Amino acid sequence: MRLSRFVEFGRKIIGVGRNYKHHAAEMKSVVPDKPLLFLKPPTAFITEGNPIKVPRGCHELHHEVELGVIIGRKGKDISEIGAMDYVGGYTLCLDMTARDLQEEAKKNGLPWTVAKGFDTSCPVGSFLPKEQVADPHNLPLWCNVNGQMRQEGSTADMVFRIPTLISYISSYFTLEPGDVILTGTPAGVGPVQPGDIVEAGLGSLIRMSFKVQVEEKSM
Ligand SMILES: O=C([O-])CC(=O)C(=O)O
Ligand SMILES: [Mg+2]
């Protein structure tokens, strides 16, 4: 199956939170004892050429650069041993997060749905077939804003690695071709403003850039 236009499948986006210990620490959180999951709707996806829009009521929008794992086969209750067979490929993602709305939700014990899932909250890069990625657990990740480096990390530092994530996630959600798992962000997250340019990279494999804009009311 060709997944090169995976965005158009309109599948699930499953986010994993606090999967890098330095990011968990900068959020004054601890690494959870099992993967912390959230969902974004498919309307969160944008590709290069489209702007990131600051959602209404958000005054602190953060970038989070992450490796995206793209599912290539349908599966449920997948074992860790066989999990990599379900990977179709990889991409680079920005898990854009309305940090102020998330903090408010956390304080009140409420879900992160709006903070994580608003329109344009998941900018993605090109599709990399898995054959082009020798070791997904050894990829440099970086993100800069207006040319200033903000995040530099490596997928080597993930707490829960890809097979564990696929196995755990598929025990609750049937995984389908075109679903994307956001594997968590390394440290260095921070705010962006309208007019900023957010640039991110996955080693030498993907480089992408997005402009930040205010959300305008559609008719
Ligand atoms: O919002 C957060 O801090 C959780 C998250 O997505 C991550 O760790 O990548
Ligand atoms: Mg994240």
Side-chain angles (χ1 to χ4, degrees):
M1 153 172 245
R2 274 177 62 82
L3 277 173
S4 53
R5 296 167 74 101
F6 71 94
V7 168
E8 291 173 18
F9 285 94
R11 294 296 192 178
K12 299 185 281 302
I13 307 167
I14 301 145
V16 178
R18 303 177 191 159
N19 203 24
Y20 287 78
K21 75 174 192 302
H22 292 115
H23 172 64
E26 73 183 349
M27 291 287 103
K28 301 191 172 28
S29 302
V30 290
V31 168
D33 57 8
K34 53 186 194 271
L36 166 65
L37 305 183
F38 57 87
L39 290 168
K40 293 180 189 258
T43 42
F45 279 131
I46 53 167
T47 50
E48 262 189 311
N50 297 291
I52 295 167
K53 295 182 182 167
V54 182
R56 280 189 200 106
C58 171
H59 303 287
E60 194 183 353
L61 179 62
H62 277 199
H63 54 80
E64 295 190 357
V65 67
E66 310 197 2
L67 174 70
V69 175
I70 301 167
I71 297 300
R73 273 171 64 191
K74 185 169 176 172
K76 167 89 179 160
D77 292 328
I78 299 165
S79 70
E80 282 193 29
I81 289 170
M84 294 309 278
D85 294 343
Y86 289 80
V87 174
Y90 301 92
T91 190
L92 182 64
C93 303
L94 286 165
D95 170 19
M96 297 306 298
T97 302
R99 195 69 73 200
D100 48 353
L101 304 186
Q102 185 193 36
E103 289 303 325
E104 194 183 312
K106 279 188 198 170
K107 207 170 62 204
N108 295 310
L110 296 171
W112 298 354
T113 312
V114 171
K116 288 290 193 183
F118 59 90
D119 285 352
T120 78
S121 62
C122 194
V124 289
S126 51
F127 172 73
L128 291 172
K130 73 170 164 189
E131 298 72 30
Q132 286 177 25
V133 179
D135 181 3
H137 296 103
N138 190 21
L139 294 169
L141 285 168
W142 58 265
C143 177
N144 78 46
V145 178
N146 303 327
Q148 190 180 51
M149 196 55 82
R150 296 273 190 89
Q151 291 189 269
E152 278 186 284
S154 168
T155 60
D157 296 327
M158 274 185 211
V159 175
F160 298 106
R161 290 157 75 92
I162 297 163
T164 308
L165 294 176
I166 289 177
S167 178
Y168 181 79
I169 291 167
S170 73
S171 72
Y172 293 102
F173 307 123
T174 298
L175 289 172
E176 298 170 286
D179 286 352
V180 178
I181 300 172
L182 308 181
T183 54
T185 196
V189 302
V192 295
Q193 314 291 342
D196 285 351
I197 304 287
V198 185
E199 215 187 338
L202 181 68
S204 57
L205 297 169
I206 300 181
R207 193 185 179 108
M208 63 185 194
S209 117
F210 292 86
K211 189 168 178 160
V212 180
Q213 277 186 8
V214 286
E215 170 93 281
E216 274 150 26
K217 253 208 168 86
S218 54
M219 288 299 158

